[in-house]
Amino acid sequence: METSTKTAHDFLSFVNASPTPFHAVESAKKRLIASGFKEIKERYDWTSTCKPGGKYWLTRNGSTILAFAIGMKWKPGNPIAMIGAHTDSPTLRIKPVSKSQSEGYMQIGVETYGGGLWHSWFDRDLSVAGRAIVKTDDGKFVQKLVKIDRPILRIPNLAIHLDRQDPFTFNKETQLLPIAGMVAEELKRQGIEVESKDEARDVEDSQTRFMPLKKLTERHHLYLVSLIASHAGVKPEEVVDFEMILYDTQKACIGGLHDELMFGQRFDNLGMSFCSTMGLIKSVESPSALQDESSIRLISLFDDEEVGSMTAQGAFSNLLPAIVRRLSVLPSANNDESEMFSTAYEQTVATSFLISADMAHAVNPNFAGKYEARHRPEINKGTVIKINAQARYATNAPGLALIQEVARRRNVPLQLFVVSNDSPCGSTIGPMLAAAMGTRTLDLGNPQLAMHSIRETAGTHDVEHAINLFESFFEHFSELEAKIMVD
């Protein structure tokens, strides 16, 4: 098996284990821990913890993760080489009150998250994943990850004989409602279980205890709550609340006549989350990797990019600026008393560089006319640099000079993408972070088809391209940064 195919299989295992941002963070965390990274927390002082030569990670909200490695020659005010990506993808999220039924069917109320191609969610084998907040015996509230591994939901299409509309349109509030089973079957099940002591005690508790909100089993179908509790390893009454989304149970896989393609879900943006994580890990694999390093190597995988990033765990938050500020004043290995700390943050952001890594659009052969004629990225032809005159992307000429040299040193092919003037353009976390921090930034990502569909397509070989590019970026940034003579 080719190295690139092995790498693609590794990526697909990451995707299949990560149906939600919470699971994506858990997947990245496991890889970082296995590579010697240690956990730290925002709430604690880092002065005596973070040392040159150390490797660390932290999370916020359980859905955003940040990791960094400190060079042995680090000094306050030195640069930080950064890659930012995001852990979320367009999906359907279970509403706070989801219990619904119609025409003999049990249904679950959902709301759209992000800008999905929602027609692609019809007739798929769907299930539920997310996190449950559980109250422990000692009165603490803890997070438990949940992933129900079998199809339990489906959004059925209407038969063509009953509606021949072209194009296909539907109401997202009333016609994008999953069915979860038949009311008659649930009534039969409850008829058996209603005699159980647990349920009798549950009823008694609800009559004697004040409940600020309706019980979970009143807001959601009883069996859904039971399933979530079971997969969290607790009793239903121990679940205080939950955040659950829908996901496609069909696993991501290798495809194409020559195994050159990947078919799956959430490639945008687990693709760049995986590649940036592995790029950082590979850049510090050697015991001497940080010996002559004067910078910090950092990745930040944010949540909520698909809905604007304006949350505590999003890229628009204070997370990255706050972390960079704390890192900028870390003392050197020698702890030299002559080191200046008063302007360390300003010096660090002025000399640092951020790669905003988000998947890019590959040319679709059936809709080639939608693409600018001279900027049509192809799958497996390398990572795509994204440029936009309206600053929807943050790329500029100095960044292009840097990334080309980084790519040249690892023989990584690159491509260019610009939207057609008669086409709208998406955006990324790049411009908002560049504006917030004043740090030089470049936007790029691997090419893919059907972005925001429940089943996307990408290239097997591009996974390795991006990992090699990011590894090279971390390894050579300190040297190259000093050669970019633009202020």
Side-chain angles (χ1 to χ4, degrees):
M1 186 183 292
E2 288 186 38
T3 305
S4 59
T5 306
K6 289 181 180 178
T7 304
H9 277 290
D10 192 25
F11 163 60
L12 294 180
S13 69
F14 180 90
V15 171
N16 291 327
S18 308
T20 75
F22 309 114
H23 290 82
V25 164
E26 188 67 21
S27 296
K29 187 196 306 183
K30 288 178 180 177
R31 291 169 183 269
L32 291 164
I33 292 172
S35 300
F37 284 74
K38 298 178 181 178
E39 182 181 15
I40 55 174
K41 295 181 181 293
E42 282 190 273
R43 66 180 67 189
Y44 299 140
D45 178 28
W46 296 353
T47 308
S48 59
T49 305
C50 296
K51 302 290 185 181
K55 301 180 291 185
Y56 309 95
W57 62 269
L58 61 92
T59 62
R60 183 183 281 191
N61 187 52
S63 59
T64 289
I65 187 166
L66 187 146
F68 57 89
I70 309 172
M72 287 297 296
K73 294 186 177 180
W74 165 263
K75 291 182 179 180
N78 276 13
I80 301 178
M82 299 178 282
I83 301 177
H86 65 90
T87 58
D88 62 318
S89 304
T91 188
L92 297 173
R93 178 171 165 163
I94 294 180
K95 290 181 176 179
V97 181
S98 73
K99 191 174 184 177
S100 178
Q101 65 182 60
S102 178
E103 306 298 333
Y105 292 97
M106 296 170 61
Q107 295 187 277
I108 292 179
V110 294
E111 57 179 330
T112 57
Y113 175 95
L117 291 175
W118 303 121
H119 65 270
S120 68
W121 284 71
F122 282 77
D123 297 329
R124 303 297 305 182
D125 297 340
L126 305 174
S127 193
V128 168
R131 69 173 173 185
I133 301 301
V134 172
K135 188 174 184 179
T136 62
D137 291 339
D138 59 1
K140 294 179 181 178
F141 297 93
V142 298
Q143 169 182 297
K144 298 281 188 180
L145 295 189
V146 172
K147 180 173 180 275
I148 300 174
D149 284 316
R150 64 180 179 89
I152 60 172
L153 303 173
R154 197 170 183 88
I155 304 171
N157 253 308
L158 182 63
I160 193 170
H161 315 82
L162 302 179
D163 189 356
R164 299 181 185 273
Q165 61 172 317
D166 188 19
F168 172 54
T169 59
F170 55 91
N171 185 298
K172 288 185 286 188
E173 177 63 24
T174 61
Q175 295 171 327
L176 196 63
L177 209 60
I179 59 173
M182 308 305 296
V183 172
E185 290 299 316
E186 177 64 5
L187 288 175
K188 278 197 289 185
R189 189 191 69 82
Q190 289 190 39
I192 296 171
E193 293 193 355
V194 76
E195 298 173 2
S196 73
K197 293 181 180 179
D198 284 346
E199 189 157 337
R201 186 172 63 250
D202 226 18
V203 172
E204 183 181 339
D205 286 349
S206 68
Q207 293 172 346
T208 58
R209 283 189 300 144
F210 170 71
M211 305 290 287
L213 289 174
K214 286 184 178 179
K215 289 173 54 183
L216 273 184
T217 50
E218 293 180 45
R219 293 191 275 136
H220 306 281
H221 289 296
L222 174 61
Y223 195 51
L224 176 63
V225 177
S226 297
L227 269 178
I228 290 170
S230 173
H231 283 74
V234 298
K235 298 175 183 177
E237 57 269 26
E238 293 174 324
V239 179
V240 179
D241 221 314
F242 56 72
E243 294 172 65
M244 295 290 154
I245 65 172
L246 275 56
Y247 78 98
D248 188 359
T249 57
Q250 182 179 354
K251 293 187 181 299
C253 61
I254 299 292
L257 291 174
H258 306 285
D259 290 343
E260 72 271 47
L261 300 176
M262 301 182 297
F263 307 139
Q265 56 283 335
R266 302 181 300 281
F267 290 172
D268 174 28
N269 190 38
L270 291 185
M272 293 295 94
S273 292
F274 174 81
C275 291
S276 56
T277 301
M278 296 310 298
L280 175 61
I281 288 172
K282 286 183 174 294
S283 79
V284 295
E285 274 182 340
S286 168
S288 61
L290 298 172
Q291 200 66 41
D292 294 320
E293 178 62 86
S294 59
S295 300
I296 291 175
R297 303 173 183 181
L298 179 150
I299 61 167
S300 189
L301 314 182
F302 297 98
D303 192 8
D304 294 330
E305 189 274 345
E306 298 292 356
V307 291
S309 296
M310 294 188 67
T311 61
Q313 59 274 7
F316 207 88
S317 72
N318 74 331
L319 178 62
L320 190 56
I323 298 301
V324 169
R325 184 176 293 278
R326 293 177 75 165
L327 295 179
S328 68
V329 296
L330 288 178
S332 66
N334 299 326
N335 203 8
D336 190 342
E337 293 183 1
S338 66
E339 291 172 352
M340 300 296 292
F341 297 97
S342 59
T343 60
Y345 175 71
E346 289 77 12
Q347 290 174 263
T348 291
V349 296
T351 53
S352 296
F353 195 92
L354 169 69
I355 291 178
S356 167
D358 205 345
M359 295 293 279
H361 299 294
V363 62
N364 186 320
N366 297 331
F367 301 92
K370 293 289 186 179
Y371 299 77
E372 206 282 332
R374 291 164 295 279
H375 299 85
R376 295 179 174 179
E378 297 178 45
I379 282 176
N380 287 326
K381 293 293 182 70
T383 303
V384 179
I385 301 169
K386 299 186 275 190
I387 303 169
N388 183 257
Q390 312 304 319
R392 300 289 286 172
Y393 304 130
T395 305
N396 60 15
L400 281 166
L402 173 68
I403 204 67
Q404 286 185 82
E405 183 59 23
V406 165
R408 185 189 66 78
R409 296 189 179 198
R410 283 299 297 270
N411 297 315
V412 177
L414 297 174
Q415 305 181 77
L416 296 169
F417 176 74
V418 172
V419 296
S420 176
N421 284 323
D422 57 2
S423 172
C425 181
S427 191
T428 68
I429 62 173
M432 69 177 68
L433 285 172
M437 298 175 62
T439 296
R440 296 168 294 181
T441 305
L442 178 136
D443 272 288
L444 54 69
N446 277 351
Q448 71 163 89
L449 295 170
M451 188 177 288
H452 290 192
S453 171
I454 199 169
R455 295 293 287 183
E456 300 169 323
T457 299
T460 301
H461 308 304
D462 284 326
V463 179
E464 191 167 59
H465 286 150
I467 293 174
N468 289 342
L469 181 68
F470 296 156
E471 182 183 358
S472 180
F473 169 66
F474 285 129
E475 289 177 347
H476 300 295
F477 172 73
S478 292
E479 173 202 346
L480 295 175
E481 187 281 324
K483 296 179 179 179
I484 301 175
M485 311 305 293
V486 179
D487 285 316

